[in-house]
Each structure stands twice: as C-alpha cells, then as structure tokens.
Amino acid sequence: MSVKSCEKIEKSQVALTIEVEAAEFEAAMEKAYRKMRGKINVPGFRPGKAPRKIIEGMYGAEVFFDEAINIAFPDAYEAAVKEKELQVVGYPSVELVGECTRQGFTFKAVAPVYPEVALGQYQGLAAPKEEVKVTAEDVDRRLQALTDRNTRLVSVEREAKEGDTAVIDFEGFLDGKPFDGGKGTNHSLELGSHSFVPGFEEQVAGMKAGEEKDIGITFPEDYHADLAGKAVVFKVKCHEVKEKEIPALDDEFAKDVSEFDTLDELKADLEKQIKEEREKDAQRGFEDALMEQVAANITAEIPDAMVEGQARQFVENFRTQIAQQGIPYDQYLQMTGLQESKLLEDAKEPALRQVRMDLAVMAIIKAENIEASDEDVEEEYKKLAEQFGMDADMVKKYIQADQVKDQVCSRRAIDVVVKSATAVKPEEKPAGEEGSEPAEEEKKPARKPRKKKAEEPSAEEGEAPAEEKKPARKPRKKKTEESGEPKDAES
C-alpha cells in the first residue's frame, strides 16, 4: 500500500488517493478464491475443490476482482489513515481510480476528520444564576409528599366515595359480547383519579363490598376506532372499599419516617435538602449557560458525519428509554405514527449543539494543557463507586479508564470557564413558576432502621397485579419535544 496523495477539502474532510500494489492484491485474490470457490460450479470437481487456476481459466481472473477489492480495501485504508496520523470521525466514501488489474488497483477515499477548532472567548464570561430561596410553602409541599407516601389504606364497611380505593372485578361488553382490554380482576381503583373513561369511576362510587352492578358508559368520540363513541356495559363486582388513613403531623410521625425526634427537626432537614438541591440546579444552569456561550464562540468546520453520529446516539438513547418503559420500539413508532428517519432529522439540531459543546471542551483542554493523572482516575473511580453504591473494581469493569480520564479533564475544563465567570441576576420569571417541584423528585429524609408494624400493609397494598388489564382509559394527546430531541414516550 502507498498513499499517492492526502488533501484537505471542505467541511473538515480529507481526500486520500491510495494504491494497493501487486503483492497485496494477490494476497486478497487468494482470500477471495477461498471464500468464493464453494459457490462456483466447475465440471469434474466437487463444490469447493476446483483449483484457482482452473476457475480463472474458465471465467477469467476478473472473477475474483470485486471480492478481492472488498477484502483489500479496509486494511489499505486503515494503514493510510495511520500513516498520515488522521483522526477520522466517520466512514469514508470510496471510488476506484482507473482500472483494476493483476498489478493492483488505486482508490480514492474521502473521510471526515476531527475539525480544527479556534476558541473564542471562554474566560471572563457572564451568565444568569438563580437566587436560591426556600419558603415555608416549599417545605410544606415536601412534607405533604412525605405524608402521602406514608398514608395507609384501611378497609371500611361503607359505601365507596371519592378519594377511596375500590377493589373490583370488571368486564366490559359491547353489544352483549366481551371486548379486548375490558377485563380485570382484583383491580384497585382510586375514585377521583380520572384514570378511566368518564362515567366509570362516578358509578363505582356508592358501591359496597360484596355488591355487583352493571355500569353503562359511552366511550369518547376521540377514543380508538373500534370503541369510539360506542355504548358499552361493564359488569362490576366490588370486593373491598378502602379509605386513606393519613398520619398526624407530629413528633411521632417524624420519629417514624426519619432519623429525627421532632417535627421541627424534620422540617429543618427538609428545608436544607431543598436548598441544596436548588443550589445544585442553579449552579448547573449557570454552568450550562456559560458553556453554551463558549460553544457559540468557537470557529470550526464541523463534518456532517459528527452531527449524524451524535443524532444516531440520541435516537439510540431514546430507543433504550422506550424499552425501559416496557414498550417495544417498533410498536411505539407504529402507535405514534413516527418514522425513525423523522426522529433522526429532528435530532440533528440538538446534535449539532452537543457536538459544538464537545469540541469547545476539548479545545479548552488543549489550550490549558489539562491532564489527569492515574491518581486522579483512581479518585474518580472511588467517587463513582460511592455514587452507585458499588465496589470500585466493579465500576472499572463497566467504565474504562480512558473514559474516566476524559471525564476528569472535561470537568476541569468547565471549571476553568466557571471560575473566571461572573454570575448576574436573571430576568424576572412569570408569576407561578418559582418553587414548583415535581412530586417524583421529592426525597425522603434518612430513615432509622425499624421493625415493620403488624397492621401495616405491604408495599404492594392497593396496587393492581401487573398482569391485570384496566378498563379502557382516556386517550392522551401525543407531545413533541420543541427542541427537536426525541422525547420519552408517555406511558
């Protein structure tokens, strides 16, 4: 192999002209013969036993050329990339130059390479940073979430009402015949949750344990086609009615759910948690805003291959998220009417932003001569092990040392930007935005080990078995991500 030319062209690409010489091509021809001989019919020889000269005499030496080119190309290309010390970031486009003969062949490969990056301003920047405040209402919301998690369901001998949980069997009938998805056994339904079709929960209200009832409802017009607008009847049997037993907010509650002895101590800890979380969020937002500026300030010809590769990674991450929700990816695409090509296209804009961010960080690492020692890597492994609750040696099996080293260097590059930056007061938010906290992000205070009380329900109390089906639910409109990134499926 010899490299005839290596030329830089537009959009961070390199055009290589590479010659595969006679000896290399002959070796590839022999490999092509061994691979193909079993598929070539030669009279007088069993399949795969005909000598190469006989086959070439019958069909011409060119019979092995195409396969030999395919065999010789990868090694020749990789050798040329190594010789020219190129940092390739995608697959090349390839074309033959001239004719292929027994003396070899020449090909041209156009490959995307890591771009040259010119840093703009990355020190002395300014970005908004949220001022952290924690109000009594914030603590009360967190305390309410903790109360909700420790609320028990207890059986009652009365009619079910809104807020209760009714344990029911049900089966739906359309024109006197059962329909798919309309049956469930020992299903726990919280009345007032509006999780089922309008009219169903309202008619379960008023039922007692042991009572059976026919419930007639009409499906919404925007429901799926086979049931949209149809009148159906559900045969329902109520097994049990449960009401919520809400714990009193007092010192005993604090002792029961946390490591603290008084409610005031618990509230103080919740306030501290909220403040720490918001300070981390504010710092993360500040850093993100700074790095967006740094990324916008770089100058680089970014090859399409880098953006397309990042977009594919976004979609692959999305596929994994969908699978984790128990939804087959192909089924999700069918349900939503989406095509993977559209997901990839929508992902390109955020992918470009991510690529620019990565290039900016790498350029700072180079400009500041940032390095990570073996000791730094070991210390990071210890932090990761503590974070994931794993042994450090186990973490090393999943995360390579080079990845950890890159992570340490990237963190230090961002620190260079942050330490020289100025935080400014953000613009005023519209009323009602500040202080809202999703329930799923609530955290419990540290618990003391304690024995389970005999009267407490199990963790699964009040939940439907996984294999049971619920009555048809109200459809929800699909949402799309404004940023263009693939969005998690709604379950």
Side-chain angles (χ1 to χ4, degrees), residues 343 345-350 353 481-486:
L343 291 176
E345 188 61 34
D346 289 345
K348 283 185 179 179
E349 184 179 341
R353 292 197 299 270
E481 188 76 23
E482 292 181 2
S483 67
E485 294 184 67

Side-chain angles (χ1 to χ4, degrees), residues 200-212:
F200 186 90
E201 294 175 27
E202 292 81 352
Q203 296 183 68
V204 173
M207 295 184 71
K208 293 182 179 180
E211 184 178 348
E212 297 185 26

Side-chain angles (χ1 to χ4, degrees), residues 477-489:
K477 293 182 180 179
K478 306 179 188 78
K479 297 181 181 179
T480 54
E481 188 76 23
E482 292 181 2
S483 67
E485 294 184 67
K487 182 176 178 66
D488 291 355

